[in-house]
Amino acid sequence: MAEGNWTRFSEFILMSFSSLPSEIQSLLFLIFLIIYLVTLLGNSLIILVTLADPMLHSPMYFFLRNLSFIEIGFNLVIVPKMLGTLIAQDTTISFLGCATQMYFFFFFGVFECFLLATMAYDRYVAICNPLYYPVIMNPKTWAKLAVASWFAGIPMATVQTTWLFSFPFCGTKVNHFFCDSPPVLRPVCADTALFEIYAIVGTILVLMIPRLLILCSYTCITAAILKIPSAKGKRKAFSTCSSHLLLVTLFYVSLSLIYFRPKSNNSPESKKVLSLSYTVMTPILNPIIYSLRNNEVKNALVRTFYKALGLRDCIP
């Protein structure tokens, strides 16, 4: 429906990886499908095991369970549509579908930023104040911290998505594999200066506040570990937070490369590859890192497996 010099569209076209040959797209489909299924299975197992095993009913694994839920949400929001564009060449996405995808992408993204900061605080209390840990990190505190992380994503997701989709669009092509703010903003035919300022400020706050909290936590953790007299004690203390630190590094480095360099000379294809790191790769690394590097999780998986088979007496 024409209105002045712009048109109101009912759907967008996700360019995804359409510039690649069909053979490579088919290969990518197979790779991403395997990653998608492994991600869903691995994170679902972590949720089930941390719920089923009483030995894992602690703050650390409560937050890990929430993190696994986020990774599943990320994948369900982004990957199925991406797989459709690769194998069925179904590149269209409705206006409402694009807005919904963007909303939940922001919601889960902000949620993960603050949850990672919460997990860092949990490790800080465990290492720097071990005697007071059960008192400080009681079940009510777990719930409050988790709820705060959950609700942190609602304001930004609501405002940014609603505001962006209130603009008129002069085109339908979105040069990305999902509806992220920068590529959806490009076909807008209106003055978006105020929105861009809001988006930049919001991104800085969402990325920097949790990052500063994590940095402060790990500064105190490092100082506490260095005071431990024995090398064995230092290794044990560091091992309790190494998995989380690795995930934080991967997540924040990839996000910073995308959102702190929006006007860079990087091609759209290179930005798509960077986006894959936190939308597809990080979610699969979560269960791998926490299962392969954590003896408690590995032992809980074995116990849960034996219980599921009815072999309680054979549990090692």
Short mmCIF file of all heavy atoms in Angstrom, two decimals, residues 80-109:
data_model
loop_
_atom_site.label_atom_id
_atom_site.label_comp_id
_atom_site.label_asym_id
_atom_site.label_seq_id
_atom_site.Cartn_x
_atom_site.Cartn_y
_atom_site.Cartn_z
N PRO A 80 16.22 -22.40 13.43
CA PRO A 80 15.26 -23.03 12.51
C PRO A 80 15.01 -22.21 11.25
O PRO A 80 14.96 -22.76 10.14
CB PRO A 80 13.99 -23.16 13.36
CG PRO A 80 14.49 -23.26 14.76
CD PRO A 80 15.67 -22.35 14.80
N LYS A 81 14.85 -20.90 11.39
CA LYS A 81 14.64 -20.05 10.21
C LYS A 81 15.87 -20.04 9.33
O LYS A 81 15.76 -20.07 8.10
CB LYS A 81 14.27 -18.63 10.65
CG LYS A 81 13.97 -17.69 9.48
CD LYS A 81 12.82 -18.21 8.63
CE LYS A 81 12.58 -17.34 7.41
NZ LYS A 81 11.52 -17.89 6.54
N MET A 82 17.07 -20.00 9.94
CA MET A 82 18.30 -20.02 9.17
C MET A 82 18.42 -21.32 8.37
O MET A 82 18.83 -21.32 7.21
CB MET A 82 19.50 -19.85 10.09
CG MET A 82 20.83 -19.83 9.37
SD MET A 82 22.24 -19.58 10.47
CE MET A 82 22.22 -21.10 11.42
N LEU A 83 18.06 -22.43 8.99
CA LEU A 83 18.10 -23.72 8.28
C LEU A 83 17.13 -23.72 7.11
O LEU A 83 17.43 -24.27 6.05
CB LEU A 83 17.76 -24.86 9.25
CG LEU A 83 18.78 -25.12 10.36
CD1 LEU A 83 18.26 -26.19 11.32
CD2 LEU A 83 20.13 -25.54 9.79
N GLY A 84 15.97 -23.08 7.29
CA GLY A 84 14.99 -23.00 6.21
C GLY A 84 15.50 -22.21 5.03
O GLY A 84 15.27 -22.58 3.87
N THR A 85 16.24 -21.14 5.31
CA THR A 85 16.78 -20.33 4.21
C THR A 85 17.87 -21.08 3.47
O THR A 85 18.10 -20.85 2.28
CB THR A 85 17.35 -19.00 4.73
OG1 THR A 85 18.43 -19.25 5.63
CG2 THR A 85 16.27 -18.19 5.45
N LEU A 86 18.55 -22.00 4.15
CA LEU A 86 19.65 -22.72 3.52
C LEU A 86 19.17 -23.89 2.67
O LEU A 86 19.67 -24.11 1.56
CB LEU A 86 20.62 -23.24 4.59
CG LEU A 86 21.52 -22.20 5.27
CD1 LEU A 86 22.24 -22.81 6.45
CD2 LEU A 86 22.53 -21.63 4.27
N ILE A 87 18.19 -24.66 3.17
CA ILE A 87 17.80 -25.88 2.46
C ILE A 87 16.59 -25.69 1.57
O ILE A 87 16.49 -26.26 0.48
CB ILE A 87 17.54 -27.03 3.47
CG1 ILE A 87 17.47 -28.36 2.75
CG2 ILE A 87 16.29 -26.75 4.29
CD1 ILE A 87 18.76 -28.77 2.08
N ALA A 88 15.63 -24.86 2.00
CA ALA A 88 14.40 -24.69 1.23
C ALA A 88 14.36 -23.36 0.51
O ALA A 88 13.39 -23.08 -0.21
CB ALA A 88 13.19 -24.82 2.16
N GLN A 89 15.41 -22.55 0.69
CA GLN A 89 15.47 -21.22 0.08
C GLN A 89 14.25 -20.38 0.45
O GLN A 89 13.81 -19.52 -0.31
CB GLN A 89 15.59 -21.33 -1.44
CG GLN A 89 16.84 -22.07 -1.91
CD GLN A 89 18.13 -21.38 -1.46
OE1 GLN A 89 18.30 -20.19 -1.68
NE2 GLN A 89 19.03 -22.12 -0.83
N ASP A 90 13.69 -20.65 1.66
CA ASP A 90 12.55 -19.89 2.16
C ASP A 90 13.10 -18.65 2.86
O ASP A 90 13.26 -18.61 4.07
CB ASP A 90 11.72 -20.75 3.11
CG ASP A 90 10.52 -20.01 3.67
OD1 ASP A 90 10.14 -18.96 3.08
OD2 ASP A 90 9.95 -20.46 4.68
N THR A 91 13.36 -17.61 2.08
CA THR A 91 14.03 -16.43 2.62
C THR A 91 13.08 -15.37 3.17
O THR A 91 13.54 -14.39 3.75
CB THR A 91 14.91 -15.78 1.53
OG1 THR A 91 14.08 -15.44 0.42
CG2 THR A 91 16.00 -16.75 1.07
N THR A 92 11.79 -15.55 2.99
CA THR A 92 10.84 -14.54 3.47
C THR A 92 10.52 -14.76 4.94
O THR A 92 10.50 -15.89 5.43
CB THR A 92 9.54 -14.58 2.66
OG1 THR A 92 8.93 -15.87 2.80
CG2 THR A 92 9.79 -14.30 1.19
N ILE A 93 10.31 -13.66 5.63
CA ILE A 93 9.87 -13.70 7.02
C ILE A 93 8.87 -12.57 7.21
O ILE A 93 9.08 -11.45 6.72
CB ILE A 93 11.05 -13.57 8.00
CG1 ILE A 93 10.57 -13.71 9.45
CG2 ILE A 93 11.81 -12.26 7.80
CD1 ILE A 93 11.71 -13.83 10.46
N SER A 94 7.77 -12.86 7.83
CA SER A 94 6.72 -11.86 8.00
C SER A 94 7.19 -10.71 8.87
O SER A 94 8.14 -10.84 9.65
CB SER A 94 5.46 -12.50 8.60
OG SER A 94 5.71 -12.88 9.95
N PHE A 95 6.51 -9.58 8.74
CA PHE A 95 6.81 -8.40 9.54
C PHE A 95 6.73 -8.75 11.02
O PHE A 95 7.63 -8.45 11.80
CB PHE A 95 5.80 -7.31 9.19
CG PHE A 95 6.11 -5.95 9.75
CD1 PHE A 95 6.91 -5.06 9.06
CD2 PHE A 95 5.61 -5.56 10.98
CE1 PHE A 95 7.20 -3.79 9.57
CE2 PHE A 95 5.88 -4.31 11.51
CZ PHE A 95 6.68 -3.42 10.80
N LEU A 96 5.64 -9.44 11.41
CA LEU A 96 5.47 -9.84 12.81
C LEU A 96 6.51 -10.87 13.21
O LEU A 96 7.05 -10.82 14.33
CB LEU A 96 4.06 -10.40 13.02
CG LEU A 96 3.73 -10.88 14.44
CD1 LEU A 96 3.87 -9.75 15.44
CD2 LEU A 96 2.32 -11.48 14.49
N GLY A 97 6.81 -11.81 12.31
CA GLY A 97 7.82 -12.83 12.62
C GLY A 97 9.19 -12.23 12.83
O GLY A 97 9.93 -12.63 13.73
N CYS A 98 9.54 -11.23 12.02
CA CYS A 98 10.83 -10.54 12.16
C CYS A 98 10.89 -9.78 13.49
O CYS A 98 11.90 -9.83 14.19
CB CYS A 98 11.02 -9.60 10.98
SG CYS A 98 12.66 -8.84 10.89
N ALA A 99 9.81 -9.09 13.83
CA ALA A 99 9.75 -8.34 15.09
C ALA A 99 9.85 -9.29 16.28
O ALA A 99 10.54 -9.00 17.27
CB ALA A 99 8.48 -7.51 15.16
N THR A 100 9.17 -10.42 16.19
CA THR A 100 9.19 -11.40 17.28
C THR A 100 10.59 -11.98 17.46
O THR A 100 11.09 -12.13 18.58
CB THR A 100 8.20 -12.54 17.00
OG1 THR A 100 6.88 -12.00 16.85
CG2 THR A 100 8.20 -13.57 18.13
N GLN A 101 11.23 -12.31 16.32
CA GLN A 101 12.60 -12.84 16.38
C GLN A 101 13.55 -11.84 17.01
O GLN A 101 14.37 -12.19 17.86
CB GLN A 101 13.06 -13.22 14.97
CG GLN A 101 14.38 -13.98 14.96
CD GLN A 101 14.83 -14.31 13.55
OE1 GLN A 101 15.01 -13.43 12.72
NE2 GLN A 101 15.04 -15.60 13.28
N MET A 102 13.43 -10.57 16.61
CA MET A 102 14.30 -9.53 17.17
C MET A 102 14.04 -9.35 18.66
O MET A 102 14.99 -9.21 19.45
CB MET A 102 14.09 -8.20 16.43
CG MET A 102 15.00 -7.09 16.93
SD MET A 102 14.70 -5.49 16.11
CE MET A 102 15.22 -5.89 14.44
N TYR A 103 12.77 -9.35 19.05
CA TYR A 103 12.44 -9.15 20.46
C TYR A 103 13.09 -10.22 21.34
O TYR A 103 13.76 -9.90 22.33
CB TYR A 103 10.92 -9.18 20.67
CG TYR A 103 10.52 -9.03 22.12
CD1 TYR A 103 10.32 -7.76 22.67
CD2 TYR A 103 10.37 -10.14 22.95
CE1 TYR A 103 9.97 -7.62 24.01
CE2 TYR A 103 10.04 -10.00 24.29
CZ TYR A 103 9.83 -8.74 24.81
OH TYR A 103 9.51 -8.61 26.14
N PHE A 104 12.93 -11.48 20.96
CA PHE A 104 13.47 -12.56 21.80
C PHE A 104 14.98 -12.66 21.69
O PHE A 104 15.64 -13.12 22.63
CB PHE A 104 12.79 -13.89 21.45
CG PHE A 104 11.42 -14.02 22.03
CD1 PHE A 104 10.29 -13.85 21.25
CD2 PHE A 104 11.25 -14.25 23.39
CE1 PHE A 104 9.02 -13.95 21.79
CE2 PHE A 104 9.98 -14.35 23.94
CZ PHE A 104 8.87 -14.20 23.15
N PHE A 105 15.54 -12.21 20.57
CA PHE A 105 17.00 -12.16 20.46
C PHE A 105 17.55 -11.18 21.49
O PHE A 105 18.50 -11.48 22.21
CB PHE A 105 17.41 -11.75 19.05
CG PHE A 105 18.86 -11.38 18.94
CD1 PHE A 105 19.85 -12.35 19.01
CD2 PHE A 105 19.25 -10.05 18.77
CE1 PHE A 105 21.20 -12.00 18.92
CE2 PHE A 105 20.59 -9.70 18.68
CZ PHE A 105 21.56 -10.69 18.75
N PHE A 106 16.95 -9.99 21.57
CA PHE A 106 17.39 -9.00 22.55
C PHE A 106 17.11 -9.49 23.98
O PHE A 106 17.93 -9.31 24.88
CB PHE A 106 16.69 -7.66 22.32
CG PHE A 106 17.26 -6.87 21.19
CD1 PHE A 106 16.44 -6.36 20.19
CD2 PHE A 106 18.62 -6.62 21.10
CE1 PHE A 106 16.96 -5.63 19.14
CE2 PHE A 106 19.15 -5.89 20.05
CZ PHE A 106 18.32 -5.40 19.07
N PHE A 107 15.94 -10.09 24.16
CA PHE A 107 15.57 -10.55 25.50
C PHE A 107 16.57 -11.58 26.02
O PHE A 107 17.12 -11.44 27.12
CB PHE A 107 14.17 -11.16 25.47
CG PHE A 107 13.78 -11.85 26.75
CD1 PHE A 107 13.44 -11.11 27.87
CD2 PHE A 107 13.78 -13.24 26.83
CE1 PHE A 107 13.09 -11.74 29.06
CE2 PHE A 107 13.43 -13.87 28.02
CZ PHE A 107 13.09 -13.13 29.13
N PHE A 108 16.85 -12.62 25.22
CA PHE A 108 17.78 -13.66 25.66
C PHE A 108 19.21 -13.13 25.73
O PHE A 108 19.99 -13.55 26.58
CB PHE A 108 17.71 -14.87 24.71
CG PHE A 108 16.49 -15.72 24.90
CD1 PHE A 108 15.58 -15.90 23.87
CD2 PHE A 108 16.25 -16.36 26.11
CE1 PHE A 108 14.46 -16.68 24.05
CE2 PHE A 108 15.12 -17.14 26.30
CZ PHE A 108 14.22 -17.31 25.26
N GLY A 109 19.56 -12.20 24.82
CA GLY A 109 20.91 -11.64 24.83
C GLY A 109 21.21 -10.85 26.09
O GLY A 109 22.25 -11.04 26.73
#
